[in-house]
Amino acid sequence: GNSVTQMEGPVTLSEEAFLTINCTYTATGYPSLFWYVQYPGEGLQLLLKATKADDKGSNKGFEATYRKETTSFHLEKGSVQVSDSAVYFCALRSGGATNKLIFGTGTLLAVQP
Amino acid sequence: DTGVSQDPRHKITKRGQNVTFRCDPISEHNRLYWYRQTLGQGPEFLTYFQNEAQLEKSRLLSDRFSAERPKGSFSTLEIQRTEQGDSAMYLCASSLSGGGRETQYFGPGTRLLVL
């Protein structure tokens, strides 16, 4: 079945450090891929998405490239800020008859000043 | 555009009681989803509506759970005879059908604690 695997956290970085959060997926067909962010006490916010292979999603300095050959969608940011501290979820939507999102377990990012 | 809203934000109940949650989607969105998120986990799909029709239900949705979207606008999720294992964050999301470009937007969630 379809699934998403994320690197386990927590990830602790100093401000201005480079961030990578790994995400790989298993899916039939051609899924759309998403990164959502959840700040403490809040719901999920869409961070970025990619709908086909080689697409790059980007927002607020974050980027992720849809790599079909490695079934990956790793999240990167060149210089993190304290305000980026949150839980990050990778998700896929497999399309076809179902539109549900399948999420990874989330990765907690803590950025220290 | 006021986003997806959910009510209440928090609910504490005793085991065996019934609870009902409400979700108001973004006004022009025809699809509405419910997910459940337990501590330290990603959200898990529960059910999905297109307009007023409930098109898919997860195996997680036991007989004690029922969801409705009577006029294709707001939705309610009811849990009967609550159990401690029902304690979780219940998330609602909405979207506008559009093939591969469809994006789900989430509400703030209702956090349920069953004592």
Side-chain angles (χ1 to χ4, degrees), chain A residues 32 34 36 38 41-46 49 51-52 89 93 97-106, chain B residues 9 31 33 35 37 40-43 45 48 56 89 91 99-109:
Chain A
S32 295
F34 304 82
Y36 282 84
Q38 188 172 36
E42 298 184 13
L44 278 75
Q45 298 177 24
L46 176 67
K49 67 178 183 180
T51 58
K52 62 182 187 299
F89 292 94
R93 188 184 69 236
T98 181
N99 293 284
K100 65 186 177 188
L101 291 171
I102 296 170
F103 287 87
T105 54
Chain B
R9 294 290 305 274
R31 290 180 172 166
Y33 303 79
Y35 293 82
Q37 185 181 17
Q41 299 298 314
F45 170 79
Y48 148 58
E56 187 174 351
M89 172 81 88
L91 295 167
R101 296 192 177 278
E102 177 181 342
T103 298
Q104 293 180 29
Y105 295 89
F106 283 79

Side-chain angles (χ1 to χ4, degrees), chain A residues 6-12 21 38 85-88 106-110:
Chain A
Q6 282 183 244
M7 63 185 289
E8 290 193 13
V11 173
T12 303
I21 300 178
Q38 188 172 36
S85 299
V87 180
Y88 292 81
T107 302
L108 173 63
L109 170 65

Side-chain angles (χ1 to χ4, degrees), chain A residues 12-94:
Chain A
T12 303
L13 296 173
S14 298
E15 206 164 20
E16 299 183 0
F18 184 85
L19 168 71
T20 299
I21 300 178
N22 291 337
C23 171
T24 58
Y25 68 89
T26 301
T28 55
Y30 303 95
S32 295
L33 301 173
F34 304 82
W35 277 100
Y36 282 84
V37 58
Q38 188 172 36
Y39 296 100
E42 298 184 13
L44 278 75
Q45 298 177 24
L46 176 67
L47 183 58
L48 53 84
K49 67 178 183 180
T51 58
K52 62 182 187 299
D54 299 325
D55 267 2
K56 177 185 282 188
S58 61
N59 185 27
K60 300 181 181 179
F62 291 90
E63 292 182 341
T65 301
Y66 187 162
R67 301 285 189 203
K68 193 171 190 306
E69 64 277 13
T70 55
T71 62
S72 65
F73 193 54
H74 305 321
L75 183 67
E76 297 183 335
K77 187 176 185 183
S79 176
V80 294
Q81 305 300 312
V82 171
S83 57
D84 294 326
S85 299
V87 180
Y88 292 81
F89 292 94
C90 184
L92 71 82
R93 188 184 69 236
S94 59

